[in-house]
Amino acid sequence: MTDDASSADDFERFRGYLRHLARTGLHGKLKTRLDASDVVQQSLLQAHEARDQFRGETDAERCAWLRQILARVITHAARDHTREKRDVRRDRSTEEKLAADSLRLGGLLEADVSSPSHGAARHERAVRLAAALESLPEDQREAVTRHYLDGESPAEIAAAMNRTGPSVAGLLRRGLQGLRATLPDVG
């Protein structure tokens, strides 16, 4: 395998994780104009083109680097769609939101990290969890993400998704069952 193919595979492992972050990073009208998968594809393309600039060694460092690229892609897309002057505070805000979303995803799995090896294992599980979330049907994924990662109540989710409370409860139950079936060793 060539170095190019190897680095592409290294980045490809994070596609689900990045897609989850892209969904949470696209707000308002931007969410209706851009597809999270397209944003992730552009981010992975940029990562591949700049692979020689990556100086990290661990998956956590690679993930942080990819998250920064994703934040830039989202920020540039927002600027292109709104045609407003660039505001550095907005750039920083997008990066901070994606970092916070990433931490919540990892925190859903394990609250305490006592060593670097535990941190690496937690990080790997967070990437696997994001990929598992991506495999859920869209309505289940949205309900699980809103409740467990964004902290919304079932009533808030029902209002936002235009559903009944029992319907949201069913989405959450089926979503968790799907995650447990996909990731029996996590959480």
Side-chain angles (χ1 to χ4, degrees), residues 19-128:
R19 191 176 310 117
H20 172 76
L21 293 178
R23 278 198 181 97
T24 63
L26 293 171
H27 322 93
K29 290 183 181 180
L30 197 58
K31 189 177 253 185
T32 61
R33 294 179 183 175
L34 294 175
D35 181 62
S37 294
D38 292 339
V39 172
V40 169
Q41 183 66 26
Q42 180 63 34
S43 300
L44 290 173
L45 177 64
Q46 288 183 14
H48 183 71
E49 290 172 350
R51 67 190 171 280
D52 58 330
Q53 296 173 16
F54 176 65
R55 300 290 178 239
E57 295 179 13
T58 67
D59 278 347
E61 292 168 328
R62 181 173 284 110
C63 205
W65 186 67
L66 289 170
R67 198 171 51 241
Q68 288 176 341
I69 292 171
L70 177 66
R72 280 194 304 273
V73 169
I74 290 172
T75 300
H76 289 204
R79 186 185 66 227
D80 291 347
H81 282 281
T82 59
R83 297 288 185 222
E84 293 178 2
K85 281 190 167 184
R86 187 172 184 182
D87 184 348
V88 175
R89 289 173 298 179
R90 260 190 309 212
D91 291 356
R92 198 75 206 134
S93 173
T94 301
E95 288 180 28
E96 289 168 358
K97 180 173 180 353
L98 291 178
D101 290 344
S102 177
L103 286 174
R104 277 195 300 276
L105 189 61
L108 182 61
L109 299 170
E110 182 178 321
D112 183 34
V113 177
S114 57
S115 71
S117 64
H118 284 102
R122 184 183 73 157
H123 172 74
E124 177 61 31
R125 288 193 304 270
V127 170
R128 289 179 39 227

